[in-house]
Amino acid sequence: MDLFHSADMTLPVVLDYSLKDNRIFLIEFSETVDMTEILFSGEVLDPPGLGKSFSVPLPYALEPGEEKRISFTVEKDNGSLTRVSLRVMGKNPDIPKVLINEVSIKGTSASPDRIELLIMEKGNVAGMRVEDGNWGYTLPSIEVKKDDLILIYWDKPTTRRHYLRSDGKMTYILNAYAPSTLSGTEGLLILKKEKDGETADALLYSDKGEAAFSGEEKKSQRDGLIALGQWEGEVFDSSLVTSSRVIARLPGGVDSDTSEDFFITQARKSSFGELNSYLPYNE
């Protein structure tokens, strides 16, 4: 006789989970379960018991951009146990408009890969994320004002520190400690409002002309950005970029989500850490 023929062997499915006010963990299952154990970053919390949807108070509110792991065990009425581990991040209610402002994609030890961000309005950048299609860096909590800059050293760290510019604005220096350089003369940069969240800005570039982004993965990423309205038309032509000629946005934060927003600077005329000047390279 098959003793398990009529038993329910399906596993409960997590339908949705989120944070409320950065201090209450909300989770919904596909069926009624008994939550018998819950851990918040290793700290044991009181299990909420039987139900389909749960609201679990956390010991403290997460800071914007702060990530923690929540693990729990649930039991079905047939005695089967399911263990789940999830990551949650503190939400940032004060994310400003931010643009990709200047990029070095053919870095050297003396002039490494860098990504500069231009702040367009007052806010806090905690939890915002810069991605190169392969890897991503999450920004820490920084209170910023319009025309502040954030300069990210991508794979080669610097000892430079934040400084107040002559125009009275701040330039913040960050190290991403990326495992590799940016992708050379064909790639894409994506700025997100949070990990797995809404795209705030993007830059697509290639030196391959009509053959740009022919690889399936990059083509899919490009098509996704176009569908989101974050890019339109041809990618930016990076064929003239060198270690001393970099991609820069037109001064003033021009933002049409096209390649027309950017230019290639004159050799050794990049303006990392300062507001962009229009000094284009001419062949």
Side-chain angles (χ1 to χ4, degrees), residues 8-15 29-33 74 76 78-84:
D8 179 7
M9 302 299 290
T10 61
L11 296 176
V13 176
V14 175
L15 298 179
F29 290 91
S30 58
E31 58 188 297
T32 298
V33 295
V74 296
K76 291 179 60 170
N78 64 3
S80 62
L81 297 176
T82 302
R83 292 179 175 84
V84 181

PDB file of all heavy atoms in Angstrom, residues 8-15 29-33 74 76 78-84:
ATOM      1  N   ASP A   8      -0.601  15.346   0.989  1.00  0.00           N
ATOM      2  CA  ASP A   8      -0.239  16.566   0.269  1.00  0.00           C
ATOM      3  C   ASP A   8       1.268  16.764   0.378  1.00  0.00           C
ATOM      4  O   ASP A   8       1.790  17.098   1.434  1.00  0.00           O
ATOM      5  CB  ASP A   8      -0.980  17.748   0.885  1.00  0.00           C
ATOM      6  CG  ASP A   8      -0.619  19.062   0.203  1.00  0.00           C
ATOM      7  OD1 ASP A   8       0.096  19.025  -0.817  1.00  0.00           O
ATOM      8  OD2 ASP A   8      -1.054  20.116   0.700  1.00  0.00           O
ATOM      9  N   MET A   9       1.984  16.539  -0.729  1.00  0.00           N
ATOM     10  CA  MET A   9       3.443  16.604  -0.725  1.00  0.00           C
ATOM     11  C   MET A   9       3.961  17.931  -1.293  1.00  0.00           C
ATOM     12  O   MET A   9       5.162  18.113  -1.431  1.00  0.00           O
ATOM     13  CB  MET A   9       4.022  15.433  -1.533  1.00  0.00           C
ATOM     14  CG  MET A   9       3.603  14.061  -1.018  1.00  0.00           C
ATOM     15  SD  MET A   9       4.146  13.769   0.694  1.00  0.00           S
ATOM     16  CE  MET A   9       5.904  13.631   0.441  1.00  0.00           C
ATOM     17  N   THR A  10       3.063  18.839  -1.656  1.00  0.00           N
ATOM     18  CA  THR A  10       3.510  20.113  -2.206  1.00  0.00           C
ATOM     19  C   THR A  10       4.116  20.994  -1.115  1.00  0.00           C
ATOM     20  O   THR A  10       3.764  20.880   0.059  1.00  0.00           O
ATOM     21  CB  THR A  10       2.342  20.870  -2.861  1.00  0.00           C
ATOM     22  OG1 THR A  10       1.346  21.139  -1.877  1.00  0.00           O
ATOM     23  CG2 THR A  10       1.732  20.035  -3.975  1.00  0.00           C
ATOM     24  N   LEU A  11       5.021  21.853  -1.521  1.00  0.00           N
ATOM     25  CA  LEU A  11       5.675  22.761  -0.592  1.00  0.00           C
ATOM     26  C   LEU A  11       4.989  24.120  -0.637  1.00  0.00           C
ATOM     27  O   LEU A  11       4.550  24.571  -1.696  1.00  0.00           O
ATOM     28  CB  LEU A  11       7.149  22.920  -0.953  1.00  0.00           C
ATOM     29  CG  LEU A  11       8.015  21.661  -0.854  1.00  0.00           C
ATOM     30  CD1 LEU A  11       9.424  21.960  -1.329  1.00  0.00           C
ATOM     31  CD2 LEU A  11       8.034  21.130   0.564  1.00  0.00           C
ATOM     32  N   PRO A  12       4.880  24.793   0.501  1.00  0.00           N
ATOM     33  CA  PRO A  12       4.312  26.146   0.492  1.00  0.00           C
ATOM     34  C   PRO A  12       5.221  27.101  -0.278  1.00  0.00           C
ATOM     35  O   PRO A  12       6.443  26.993  -0.226  1.00  0.00           O
ATOM     36  CB  PRO A  12       4.240  26.504   1.970  1.00  0.00           C
ATOM     37  CG  PRO A  12       5.268  25.644   2.630  1.00  0.00           C
ATOM     38  CD  PRO A  12       5.298  24.367   1.849  1.00  0.00           C
ATOM     39  N   VAL A  13       4.607  28.022  -0.994  1.00  0.00           N
ATOM     40  CA  VAL A  13       5.344  28.972  -1.823  1.00  0.00           C
ATOM     41  C   VAL A  13       5.221  30.373  -1.224  1.00  0.00           C
ATOM     42  O   VAL A  13       4.138  30.786  -0.805  1.00  0.00           O
ATOM     43  CB  VAL A  13       4.799  28.977  -3.267  1.00  0.00           C
ATOM     44  CG1 VAL A  13       5.495  30.039  -4.107  1.00  0.00           C
ATOM     45  CG2 VAL A  13       4.956  27.596  -3.900  1.00  0.00           C
ATOM     46  N   VAL A  14       6.349  31.091  -1.179  1.00  0.00           N
ATOM     47  CA  VAL A  14       6.328  32.489  -0.749  1.00  0.00           C
ATOM     48  C   VAL A  14       5.795  33.326  -1.909  1.00  0.00           C
ATOM     49  O   VAL A  14       6.419  33.424  -2.969  1.00  0.00           O
ATOM     50  CB  VAL A  14       7.729  32.976  -0.339  1.00  0.00           C
ATOM     51  CG1 VAL A  14       7.688  34.473  -0.009  1.00  0.00           C
ATOM     52  CG2 VAL A  14       8.254  32.190   0.852  1.00  0.00           C
ATOM     53  N   LEU A  15       4.614  33.920  -1.734  1.00  0.00           N
ATOM     54  CA  LEU A  15       4.002  34.728  -2.784  1.00  0.00           C
ATOM     55  C   LEU A  15       4.555  36.146  -2.820  1.00  0.00           C
ATOM     56  O   LEU A  15       4.704  36.738  -3.886  1.00  0.00           O
ATOM     57  CB  LEU A  15       2.480  34.779  -2.599  1.00  0.00           C
ATOM     58  CG  LEU A  15       1.741  33.438  -2.685  1.00  0.00           C
ATOM     59  CD1 LEU A  15       0.252  33.651  -2.452  1.00  0.00           C
ATOM     60  CD2 LEU A  15       1.986  32.756  -4.028  1.00  0.00           C
ATOM     61  N   PHE A  29       2.216  33.486   2.167  1.00  0.00           N
ATOM     62  CA  PHE A  29       2.418  32.158   1.598  1.00  0.00           C
ATOM     63  C   PHE A  29       1.224  31.756   0.737  1.00  0.00           C
ATOM     64  O   PHE A  29       0.142  32.352   0.813  1.00  0.00           O
ATOM     65  CB  PHE A  29       2.619  31.122   2.713  1.00  0.00           C
ATOM     66  CG  PHE A  29       3.921  31.269   3.440  1.00  0.00           C
ATOM     67  CD1 PHE A  29       4.017  32.065   4.577  1.00  0.00           C
ATOM     68  CD2 PHE A  29       5.064  30.623   3.002  1.00  0.00           C
ATOM     69  CE1 PHE A  29       5.210  32.204   5.253  1.00  0.00           C
ATOM     70  CE2 PHE A  29       6.265  30.752   3.671  1.00  0.00           C
ATOM     71  CZ  PHE A  29       6.342  31.544   4.810  1.00  0.00           C
ATOM     72  N   SER A  30       1.431  30.715  -0.050  1.00  0.00           N
ATOM     73  CA  SER A  30       0.383  30.218  -0.934  1.00  0.00           C
ATOM     74  C   SER A  30      -0.674  29.418  -0.183  1.00  0.00           C
ATOM     75  O   SER A  30      -1.743  29.122  -0.733  1.00  0.00           O
ATOM     76  CB  SER A  30       1.005  29.330  -2.026  1.00  0.00           C
ATOM     77  OG  SER A  30       1.730  28.249  -1.433  1.00  0.00           O
ATOM     78  N   GLU A  31      -0.404  29.067   1.068  1.00  0.00           N
ATOM     79  CA  GLU A  31      -1.334  28.280   1.866  1.00  0.00           C
ATOM     80  C   GLU A  31      -1.059  28.520   3.347  1.00  0.00           C
ATOM     81  O   GLU A  31      -0.067  29.141   3.722  1.00  0.00           O
ATOM     82  CB  GLU A  31      -1.190  26.794   1.547  1.00  0.00           C
ATOM     83  CG  GLU A  31       0.221  26.254   1.776  1.00  0.00           C
ATOM     84  CD  GLU A  31       0.384  24.837   1.273  1.00  0.00           C
ATOM     85  OE1 GLU A  31      -0.314  23.950   1.819  1.00  0.00           O
ATOM     86  OE2 GLU A  31       1.195  24.608   0.350  1.00  0.00           O
ATOM     87  N   THR A  32      -1.932  28.049   4.182  1.00  0.00           N
ATOM     88  CA  THR A  32      -1.774  28.206   5.627  1.00  0.00           C
ATOM     89  C   THR A  32      -0.629  27.331   6.135  1.00  0.00           C
ATOM     90  O   THR A  32      -0.534  26.152   5.793  1.00  0.00           O
ATOM     91  CB  THR A  32      -3.069  27.829   6.356  1.00  0.00           C
ATOM     92  OG1 THR A  32      -4.113  28.712   5.926  1.00  0.00           O
ATOM     93  CG2 THR A  32      -2.908  27.946   7.862  1.00  0.00           C
ATOM     94  N   VAL A  33       0.263  27.948   6.938  1.00  0.00           N
ATOM     95  CA  VAL A  33       1.406  27.230   7.504  1.00  0.00           C
ATOM     96  C   VAL A  33       1.558  27.638   8.967  1.00  0.00           C
ATOM     97  O   VAL A  33       0.972  28.627   9.416  1.00  0.00           O
ATOM     98  CB  VAL A  33       2.713  27.546   6.737  1.00  0.00           C
ATOM     99  CG1 VAL A  33       2.647  27.051   5.310  1.00  0.00           C
ATOM    100  CG2 VAL A  33       3.013  29.045   6.784  1.00  0.00           C
ATOM    101  N   VAL A  74       8.767  26.857   8.382  1.00  0.00           N
ATOM    102  CA  VAL A  74       7.311  26.721   8.421  1.00  0.00           C
ATOM    103  C   VAL A  74       6.940  25.248   8.308  1.00  0.00           C
ATOM    104  O   VAL A  74       7.640  24.459   7.685  1.00  0.00           O
ATOM    105  CB  VAL A  74       6.634  27.534   7.301  1.00  0.00           C
ATOM    106  CG1 VAL A  74       6.869  29.017   7.487  1.00  0.00           C
ATOM    107  CG2 VAL A  74       7.109  27.089   5.924  1.00  0.00           C
ATOM    108  N   LYS A  76       3.668  22.478   7.587  1.00  0.00           N
ATOM    109  CA  LYS A  76       2.313  22.247   7.103  1.00  0.00           C
ATOM    110  C   LYS A  76       1.586  21.304   8.058  1.00  0.00           C
ATOM    111  O   LYS A  76       2.209  20.685   8.941  1.00  0.00           O
ATOM    112  CB  LYS A  76       2.342  21.656   5.696  1.00  0.00           C
ATOM    113  CG  LYS A  76       2.837  22.639   4.647  1.00  0.00           C
ATOM    114  CD  LYS A  76       2.886  22.025   3.265  1.00  0.00           C
ATOM    115  CE  LYS A  76       1.531  21.533   2.789  1.00  0.00           C
ATOM    116  NZ  LYS A  76       1.529  21.147   1.370  1.00  0.00           N
ATOM    117  N   ASN A  78       0.532  18.487   7.563  1.00  0.00           N
ATOM    118  CA  ASN A  78       0.949  17.087   7.414  1.00  0.00           C
ATOM    119  C   ASN A  78       2.311  16.823   8.048  1.00  0.00           C
ATOM    120  O   ASN A  78       2.859  15.725   7.935  1.00  0.00           O
ATOM    121  CB  ASN A  78       0.980  16.694   5.932  1.00  0.00           C
ATOM    122  CG  ASN A  78       2.016  17.477   5.125  1.00  0.00           C
ATOM    123  OD1 ASN A  78       2.764  18.283   5.686  1.00  0.00           O
ATOM    124  ND2 ASN A  78       2.052  17.247   3.830  1.00  0.00           N
ATOM    125  N   GLY A  79       2.888  17.849   8.702  1.00  0.00           N
ATOM    126  CA  GLY A  79       4.161  17.677   9.398  1.00  0.00           C
ATOM    127  C   GLY A  79       5.389  18.000   8.579  1.00  0.00           C
ATOM    128  O   GLY A  79       6.503  18.008   9.113  1.00  0.00           O
ATOM    129  N   SER A  80       5.238  18.297   7.298  1.00  0.00           N
ATOM    130  CA  SER A  80       6.410  18.597   6.465  1.00  0.00           C
ATOM    131  C   SER A  80       6.956  19.978   6.803  1.00  0.00           C
ATOM    132  O   SER A  80       6.204  20.920   7.069  1.00  0.00           O
ATOM    133  CB  SER A  80       6.042  18.526   4.981  1.00  0.00           C
ATOM    134  OG  SER A  80       5.068  19.495   4.659  1.00  0.00           O
ATOM    135  N   LEU A  81       8.285  20.095   6.811  1.00  0.00           N
ATOM    136  CA  LEU A  81       8.960  21.349   7.171  1.00  0.00           C
ATOM    137  C   LEU A  81       9.608  21.971   5.943  1.00  0.00           C
ATOM    138  O   LEU A  81      10.150  21.267   5.084  1.00  0.00           O
ATOM    139  CB  LEU A  81      10.034  21.101   8.231  1.00  0.00           C
ATOM    140  CG  LEU A  81       9.567  20.572   9.598  1.00  0.00           C
ATOM    141  CD1 LEU A  81      10.771  20.292  10.477  1.00  0.00           C
ATOM    142  CD2 LEU A  81       8.628  21.569  10.257  1.00  0.00           C
ATOM    143  N   THR A  82       9.545  23.279   5.881  1.00  0.00           N
ATOM    144  CA  THR A  82      10.225  24.032   4.827  1.00  0.00           C
ATOM    145  C   THR A  82      11.036  25.148   5.469  1.00  0.00           C
ATOM    146  O   THR A  82      10.530  25.880   6.322  1.00  0.00           O
ATOM    147  CB  THR A  82       9.220  24.652   3.835  1.00  0.00           C
ATOM    148  OG1 THR A  82       8.424  23.629   3.254  1.00  0.00           O
ATOM    149  CG2 THR A  82       9.942  25.418   2.734  1.00  0.00           C
ATOM    150  N   ARG A  83      12.302  25.243   5.084  1.00  0.00           N
ATOM    151  CA  ARG A  83      13.169  26.297   5.600  1.00  0.00           C
ATOM    152  C   ARG A  83      13.498  27.267   4.471  1.00  0.00           C
ATOM    153  O   ARG A  83      13.862  26.862   3.378  1.00  0.00           O
ATOM    154  CB  ARG A  83      14.445  25.704   6.204  1.00  0.00           C
ATOM    155  CG  ARG A  83      14.185  24.900   7.469  1.00  0.00           C
ATOM    156  CD  ARG A  83      15.451  24.296   8.050  1.00  0.00           C
ATOM    157  NE  ARG A  83      15.198  23.636   9.322  1.00  0.00           N
ATOM    158  CZ  ARG A  83      14.747  22.394   9.439  1.00  0.00           C
ATOM    159  NH1 ARG A  83      14.509  21.673   8.345  1.00  0.00           N
ATOM    160  NH2 ARG A  83      14.540  21.868  10.634  1.00  0.00           N
ATOM    161  N   VAL A  84      13.371  28.550   4.754  1.00  0.00           N
ATOM    162  CA  VAL A  84      13.568  29.588   3.755  1.00  0.00           C
ATOM    163  C   VAL A  84      14.475  30.673   4.328  1.00  0.00           C
ATOM    164  O   VAL A  84      14.402  30.989   5.516  1.00  0.00           O
ATOM    165  CB  VAL A  84      12.216  30.211   3.324  1.00  0.00           C
ATOM    166  CG1 VAL A  84      12.428  31.277   2.261  1.00  0.00           C
ATOM    167  CG2 VAL A  84      11.257  29.137   2.821  1.00  0.00           C
TER     168      VAL A  84
END
